Amino acid sequence: MKKILVVLLLLAVNLGFAQVKLEGVVKDSIGNPLELANVIAINTETQALESYGITNPQGEYKLSVSKNSVYNLQVSYIGMKTEQLKVETTDKNVYKTFVLHSDNTLDEVELIYEMPVTIKGDTIVYNADSFKNGTERKLEDVLKKLPGVEINDDGQIEVEGNVVSKVMVDGKDFFDGDSKLATQNIPSNAIDKVEVLKNFAEVGQLSSVTNNQDNVAINIKLKEGKKNFWFGDIKAGSGIAETEGLYILQPKLFYYSPKYSINLIGDLNNLGEIAFSRRDYFNFTGGFRAPSRSSGTNINLGSNSLGFLSLQNNRAQEINTKFGAANFSYSPNEHLDLSGFGIFSSNRITMQENNSIIYTNTDLGVPDEITESKTKQSSDLFMAKFSVGYKPNSDNQLDYDVMARVSKESQDQLENSSVLGNTMQFESSSPFSINQNLNYYYTLSEKHIFAIEAQHLWQDEDPFYNAIIEDKNTYDNTADALGLDKQQIDYNVNQDKRVKSNQVDAKVDYFNVLNAKSNINVTLGTIYSHQKFNSDIFQVLDDGTAFDPTPTINDGLDENNIQYAFTDVYVGLRYTLKSGIFTFTPGATVHSYSSNNEQFGEKYTNNFFKILPDVDVRLQLKKSERITLTYNMETQFTDVTQLARGLVMNNYNSFFYGNEALDNAISHAVRLSYSSFNMFNYTNVFANISYNKSIDKIRNITNFESVIRSNSPFNSAYADETVSANGRFQRQFGKFRASANARFNYSKFNQFIQNNRSVNENYTQNYGLELRSNFREAPNFEIGYNYSIQDNDQGQTRTKFFTSSPRVEFDALIWKVLTFKTDYTYNNFKDEEATLNSYEFWNASLAYRKDKDSKWEFELKATNLLNTKTQSQSSASDISVRATDYYIQPRYVTLRAVYSL
């Protein structure tokens, strides 16, 4: 592998030395420089577009071309006559100046090639074919090659440091803008243009009075032959593994016309290729906007789902996936839009992991622990959404959305602890939720705009937990505390929970446009939240009967029956002023809060007022270069489960009882960011630093009995602080793109164990380097290196873990019929003394397609060729640090056939 890296680096160096620069200036007839003029170089021998560029504010352009070649240079600018010039290169750089003249005629020089990149105001248009070399199959393969566009580790699209909030196809939302479903399923051969829409406003009426500079959308323009016809592909394949047969079936079909569109995606496989993970399901917003977020109030309804183990990099020991999704949009006329989707995901997953756990505060006698667990998960998830958009004219817009979620999940786990012995755990849950959104926007006149936004959430969660502890001796003290019947073969402990939530967020905004540079925004809003929480701990005896124990702790309270209501009524005022390169938006919101909870015949009430300031300052240095500084003060409220006084079993070795008198916390957040995208030399720079300080934050007092712990929340008198910074630098050199990124996070928080306070400090550092090529004819490669440091200082205990990961990817189109792809990653995981684990992954595929227009393609694909058994990682919590060995799927080899419509 080292030899391959050296060869690729030498290839990059040789190709770099074989290039010269074509540079100069583009001016108008009176000598003014022309910014954003397009310059292309066409090789006269091959008739291929070899290089392109866009002029900077000084009218300068710079192209990288081959030595000893002849080129036809074409320079174009909107409203001016296109100029062209034949240029012959040697081994020296060439400098040429172009003067363009106004041209109102239509007989301009015909451009043989479209510009790979053009800029139209806030829109960047990429001509997809200019970046393809024939090895691409899906949208993400194309996006990775576009300057300024990245696919992050979570599968999301990023442009100039901002996560893309919406993906459209021919102007129609693709599954309400979800970028991951788009990048992994839209076929690359259907893509004509990729439009990046910066400063994207979801509601056109508010574009002039709201800040949209961080909003980025992408619109995929289809090729003409893909419109009014079904397109897509169907993939099927099978293989043989050591213990089972392998299979995969993936239909992906699309239809687009001016009036309606249909998208159908299916996936059935046992290869671990997860189309839509459990994490994707719970992170999927469905395009909903939360009106209350800008008010400064943060009320957390909590997550009462199961304590599911999470997949690491979408890998596990065994994964069986079923997935189906359908999306439609229909516009019966120009004023009405109807759309919706349905998504079903079913996963059966087996996981195995070994954990080495180091607990803090060693002088309290808490022993370190080694655990081995075998887990089986069953997850059936469904969501559906229907949307209506009605816009009778430019002054009125009405939007309504309703989305439902239903799931059925369970988890079986056998865990062996070096301290507690064997424990069998079972969890199940069948929650559902319905979320509705109603928005109305009205423009009274150019100076007076109104917006009404309301959202309602109805949610019902019913998690059940069961633990069977075989080694009774290690659990006797806990059994006494719980009041269990100790005359049984083992301890069979169970817990029922039920959480019902109703929440309404609503607000009215009035915008008064004072002039072209300033406006005033007045907001009147409210949040109402109501929750009910019931829980019950019981023991199943050897004869199968249920026993209701009475704890000897927590005043004997082992059940919960609590109601919690929260109300926020607020008025906000913001003023926006634009002056030169500055946009200054100070604001403040006045809140009247009321909360109460009722349990065990007692009622606790808290009413108070709060003023929350915020400010947003933006410096637009150039069209694609800006600095942003924001500050906001926020009140944070908890959910009903933190207030419930009865005993709750988080799991067999962790118990919790709430505090009915909890108050809100206050947070101060400051963020400074810088972004720049230079189309002249294709340099993309993004950096930000943020600081957060939480006052009266809700922390837990933890008490240990061996490794069994109980937690109770309270408002800490000590502030917690976090500082995070990250940055990325990317530069394109001819056919090569180099990038470097760094991320740093520091957190300082207070921990309370056995009523002893300690200050914990965690440092996380991540660094990455990458070099990528983008040749049209030659093979392409990507070389990367990542290095991370996890440093945890927890008072009496300090641990450090280091992970280094070099990687390489390679793809080539061979004889125009074979597509070869391979990727390799090496990982070294160590502490300060020695390597704990080193593991590597190697995948490869070879596909045959007779020609680019062929309907059939056949692919031989292998994953985990080196048959790596485990991967490792480290993590830290407020009471422990753990190192994990995580088992993954073995080597799989499959043969696949793909039919393209």
Side-chain angles (χ1 to χ4, degrees):
M1 183 53 61
K2 290 182 179 179
K3 292 182 179 179
I4 294 176
L5 292 174
V6 171
V7 170
L8 292 175
L9 286 172
L10 289 175
L11 175 63
V13 171
N14 288 335
L15 289 172
F17 279 120
Q19 303 262 298
V20 294
K21 299 293 183 185
L22 272 177
E23 51 191 340
V25 176
V26 180
K27 303 177 182 179
D28 62 15
S29 58
I30 59 175
N32 294 321
L34 293 176
E35 183 182 4
L36 304 181
N38 296 324
V39 185
I40 60 176
I42 301 171
N43 189 303
T44 57
E45 181 179 353
T46 64
Q47 288 300 305
L49 189 156
E50 187 161 318
S51 188
Y52 64 94
I54 295 175
T55 57
N56 65 8
Q58 290 73 45
E60 299 169 332
Y61 68 90
K62 184 185 295 184
L63 310 181
S64 294
V65 294
S66 301
K67 297 178 180 179
N68 304 315
S69 301
V70 180
Y71 293 94
N72 180 20
L73 254 64
Q74 293 187 354
V75 182
S76 59
Y77 189 83
I78 297 175
M80 294 193 172
K81 186 176 181 180
T82 298
E83 295 289 340
Q84 60 179 344
L85 177 69
K86 183 173 290 188
V87 175
E88 186 172 351
T89 63
T90 58
D91 57 353
K92 300 185 185 311
N93 295 337
V94 178
Y95 189 92
K96 293 291 182 182
T97 297
F98 287 87
V99 177
L100 303 187
H101 298 83
S102 297
D103 184 17
N104 297 320
T105 65
L106 298 178
D107 57 347
E108 59 184 39
V109 175
E110 180 183 359
L111 293 177
I112 300 175
Y113 289 89
E114 289 190 78
M115 272 295 295
V117 184
T118 56
I119 300 177
K120 303 175 182 177
D122 288 330
T123 301
I124 304 175
V125 182
Y126 297 93
N127 181 44
D129 286 344
S130 299
F131 298 91
K132 297 177 185 177
N133 68 350
T135 63
E136 305 81 12
R137 293 299 179 267
K138 299 300 177 185
L139 172 61
E140 65 178 344
D141 299 327
V142 178
L143 294 180
K144 288 178 180 179
K145 298 181 178 183
L146 306 183
V149 181
E150 293 287 332
I151 305 292
N152 65 24
D153 293 338
D154 295 326
Q156 299 171 310
I157 308 170
E158 287 188 7
V159 175
E160 299 178 28
N162 295 312
V163 174
V164 170
S165 58
K166 181 182 286 291
V167 176
M168 299 173 285
V169 178
D170 271 356
K172 297 178 172 62
D173 286 357
F174 188 86
F175 285 93
D176 266 14
D178 181 74
S179 60
K180 188 173 181 180
L181 282 177
T183 59
Q184 296 183 354
N185 292 286
I186 297 175
S188 61
N189 61 7
I191 303 168
D192 181 30
K193 302 283 193 305
V194 177
E195 296 179 339
V196 174
L197 312 173
K198 299 191 292 183
N199 299 324
F200 179 75
E202 190 80 41
V203 180
Q205 292 162 268
L206 303 182
S207 60
S208 62
V209 293
T210 56
N211 176 21
N212 305 299
Q213 292 186 1
D214 294 331
N215 296 343
V216 181
I218 281 184
N219 182 42
I220 306 301
K221 300 286 289 184
L222 298 175
K223 290 181 177 293
E224 286 301 321
K226 303 299 181 181
K227 299 176 183 180
N228 298 311
F229 294 97
W230 282 94
F231 67 92
D233 55 61
I234 301 173
K235 179 186 292 185
S238 64
I240 299 175
E242 296 177 2
T243 58
E244 61 179 333
L246 305 176
Y247 59 86
I248 183 171
L249 177 63
Q250 295 177 332
K252 301 176 182 182
L253 308 174
F254 312 92
Y255 183 90
Y256 280 86
S257 70
K259 277 198 170 184
Y260 66 91
S261 68
I262 301 173
N263 304 298
L264 302 173
I265 301 173
D267 196 333
L268 179 68
N269 76 82
N270 64 347
L271 303 173
E273 297 185 9
I274 300 179
F276 200 71
S277 69
R278 187 173 181 270
R279 178 182 177 184
D280 295 331
Y281 174 83
F282 286 104
N283 288 341
F284 194 89
T285 64
F288 274 77
R289 298 181 297 277
S292 62
R293 286 182 184 168
S294 61
S295 72
T297 297
N298 183 348
I299 177 168
N300 179 16
L301 292 183
S303 175
N304 298 287
S305 56
L306 306 183
F308 258 45
L309 291 180
S310 299
L311 298 179
Q312 294 184 20
N313 304 115
N314 280 341
R315 296 189 180 104
Q317 194 172 40
E318 183 179 338
I319 301 176
N320 289 270
T321 292
K322 296 177 183 178
F323 174 78
N327 173 221
F328 83 94
S329 67
Y330 174 55
S331 301
N333 56 60
E334 61 180 355
H335 305 299
L336 182 63
D337 291 309
L338 307 175
S339 63
F341 65 76
I343 297 175
F344 173 74
S345 177
S346 177
N347 296 314
R348 301 295 182 266
I349 299 172
T350 300
M351 289 186 285
Q352 182 177 343
E353 64 179 33
N354 300 337
N355 293 286
S356 175
I357 307 170
I358 301 173
Y359 290 96
T360 57
N361 295 68
T362 55
D363 60 343
L364 298 177
V366 182
D368 294 339
E369 186 180 14
I370 295 175
T371 65
E372 299 177 357
S373 66
K374 183 85 170 182
T375 305
K376 289 189 176 182
Q377 295 179 350
S378 173
S379 181
D380 295 318
L381 312 169
F382 175 76
M383 70 169 72
K385 182 183 176 186
F386 177 71
S387 301
V388 179
Y390 178 61
K391 192 171 183 179
N393 51 56
S394 60
D395 295 332
N396 290 271
Q397 180 173 330
L398 177 67
D399 298 323
Y400 173 75
D401 310 289
V402 58
M403 184 167 73
R405 298 174 185 260
V406 181
S407 62
K408 182 179 181 181
E409 301 183 283
S410 64
Q411 175 173 277
D412 277 291
Q413 187 176 64
L414 174 61
E415 181 170 287
N416 178 269
S417 164
S418 60
V419 179
L420 296 176
N422 287 335
T423 301
M424 290 181 288
Q425 300 177 80
F426 172 75
E427 299 174 81
S428 65
S429 181
S430 300
F432 72 86
S433 68
I434 297 176
N435 203 342
Q436 298 181 82
N437 206 10
L438 178 65
N439 303 321
Y440 175 63
Y441 308 96
Y442 173 61
T443 301
L444 179 63
S445 66
E446 292 183 358
K447 292 186 176 297
H448 304 284
I449 303 171
F450 295 87
I452 301 174
E453 298 178 331
Q455 187 176 128
H456 174 248
L457 172 64
W458 176 32
Q459 186 170 277
D460 192 341
E461 301 163 290
D462 62 345
F464 170 78
Y465 178 77
N466 167 242
I468 300 175
I469 297 96
E470 295 181 351
D471 191 347
K472 291 176 57 182
N473 293 331
T474 61
Y475 208 72
D476 269 349
N477 290 339
T478 304
D480 288 332
L482 294 177
L484 301 180
D485 184 342
K486 301 175 68 174
Q487 306 302 315
Q488 306 298 312
I489 296 176
D490 49 36
Y491 292 126
N492 188 332
V493 192
N494 303 264
Q495 178 177 250
D496 274 319
K497 288 201 300 184
R498 189 74 176 266
V499 183
K500 295 182 178 181
S501 304
N502 268 283
Q503 182 166 304
V504 177
D505 297 357
K507 70 171 183 175
V508 178
D509 276 299
Y510 165 66
F511 299 92
N512 184 358
V513 181
L514 303 177
N515 50 55
K517 295 184 178 295
S518 62
N519 66 76
I520 294 176
N521 170 216
V522 179
T523 304
L524 174 64
T526 185
I527 302 173
Y528 174 75
S529 178
H530 185 270
Q531 290 185 289
K532 293 182 180 180
F533 174 47
N534 295 277
S535 71
D536 178 33
I537 297 176
F538 61 95
Q539 180 184 7
V540 175
L541 305 181
D542 293 345
D543 61 4
T545 60
F547 170 66
D548 188 10
T550 301
T552 61
I553 59 173
N554 193 36
D555 299 324
L557 301 177
D558 70 329
E559 297 182 2
N560 283 293
N561 186 356
I562 174 177
Q563 296 192 48
Y564 171 53
F566 168 86
T567 304
D568 172 23
V569 178
Y570 60 90
V571 176
L573 177 65
R574 288 178 177 82
Y575 174 69
T576 299
L577 173 65
K578 298 179 181 179
S579 178
I581 64 172
F582 289 90
T583 301
F584 184 57
T585 308
T589 311
V590 181
H591 294 260
S592 173
Y593 293 113
S594 176
S595 65
N596 66 80
N597 67 83
E598 187 174 351
Q599 53 185 316
F600 301 107
E602 298 179 4
K603 188 172 183 178
Y604 181 86
T605 302
N606 185 21
N607 302 308
F608 64 99
F609 288 88
K610 200 75 178 178
I611 299 176
L612 303 176
D614 60 83
V615 66
D616 186 295
V617 181
R618 296 176 182 257
L619 286 76
Q620 196 70 40
L621 304 177
K622 297 177 182 177
K623 289 185 178 179
S624 294
E625 183 181 16
R626 70 174 182 267
I627 296 175
T628 304
L629 174 66
T630 61
Y631 163 78
N632 66 284
M633 183 177 174
E634 186 177 80
T635 51
Q636 299 173 332
F637 296 87
T638 187
D639 76 319
V640 67
T641 60
Q642 296 278 315
L643 303 168
R645 290 165 53 195
L647 200 63
V648 173
M649 185 166 56
N650 291 333
N651 57 52
Y652 72 96
N653 64 356
S654 177
F655 297 84
F656 179 86
Y657 52 93
N659 179 351
E660 75 280 8
L662 287 176
D663 286 330
N664 66 284
I666 294 292
S667 74
H668 301 271
V670 181
R671 182 175 183 265
L672 177 65
S673 65
Y674 170 81
S675 65
S676 172
F677 184 39
N678 189 328
M679 294 294 288
F680 169 64
N681 54 19
Y682 293 101
T683 299
N684 184 17
V685 181
F686 170 76
N688 76 62
I689 182 169
S690 60
Y691 169 77
N692 185 280
K693 183 175 183 178
S694 295
I695 301 170
D696 294 329
K697 186 172 183 177
I698 296 176
R699 304 294 306 179
N700 283 328
I701 295 178
T702 303
N703 292 297
F704 276 93
E705 177 67 41
S706 182
V707 296
I708 298 172
R709 60 191 179 272
S710 62
N711 300 281
S712 182
F714 73 106
N715 290 100
S716 171
Y718 304 94
D720 292 344
E721 299 174 272
T722 60
V723 178
S724 62
N726 67 82
R728 182 172 66 229
F729 176 86
Q730 185 184 91
R731 177 71 184 270
Q732 187 164 316
F733 304 90
K735 299 297 183 180
F736 301 96
R737 187 196 303 177
S739 63
N741 64 79
R743 183 177 301 161
F744 171 80
N745 186 80
Y746 165 78
S747 63
K748 176 184 176 182
F749 59 94
N750 296 273
Q751 167 186 285
F752 301 86
I753 297 180
Q754 251 86 347
N755 293 318
N756 294 320
R757 170 179 171 256
S758 63
V759 178
N760 290 1
E761 295 179 293
N762 291 340
Y763 307 82
T764 303
Q765 302 173 61
N766 294 279
Y767 305 96
L769 296 171
E770 181 181 278
L771 178 65
R772 178 187 301 173
S773 69
N774 188 19
F775 297 109
R776 294 293 301 274
E777 304 294 337
N780 284 293
F781 65 86
E782 180 180 320
I783 303 171
Y785 179 77
N786 292 292
Y787 183 70
S788 66
I789 304 172
Q790 179 81 44
D791 184 357
N792 310 289
D793 184 355
Q794 297 182 302
Q796 300 168 347
T797 304
R798 184 158 190 168
T799 59
K800 275 188 177 183
F801 295 99
F802 308 87
T803 304
S804 56
S805 304
R807 59 184 174 83
V808 61
E809 296 182 20
F810 179 84
D811 67 77
L813 184 63
I814 306 171
W815 303 317
K816 297 184 179 182
V817 296
L818 294 175
T819 300
F820 175 68
K821 294 184 178 182
T822 186
D823 62 87
Y824 170 84
T825 305
Y826 174 81
N827 301 271
N828 182 269
F829 179 68
K830 64 181 182 179
D831 59 16
E832 293 182 283
E833 297 180 356
T835 295
L836 302 177
N837 189 14
S838 61
Y839 53 99
E840 49 193 340
F841 296 111
W842 182 24
N843 307 305
S845 67
L846 182 65
Y848 168 76
R849 184 165 57 184
K850 185 177 180 180
D851 55 62
K852 66 178 183 179
D853 297 321
S854 176
K855 297 286 187 181
W856 286 96
E857 181 177 36
F858 300 93
E859 179 184 31
L860 182 66
K861 185 172 183 178
T863 58
N864 194 8
L865 275 164
L866 302 175
N867 210 27
T868 299
K869 302 296 184 182
T870 62
Q871 62 185 45
S872 301
Q873 70 172 16
S874 63
S875 60
S877 69
D878 57 351
I879 60 172
S880 65
V881 177
R882 68 174 61 204
T884 302
D885 286 333
Y886 181 84
Y887 287 77
I888 61 173
Q889 288 173 299
R891 179 193 303 116
Y892 284 164
V893 179
T894 55
L895 180 62
R896 312 175 185 205
V898 182
Y899 178 77
S900 299
L901 275 69

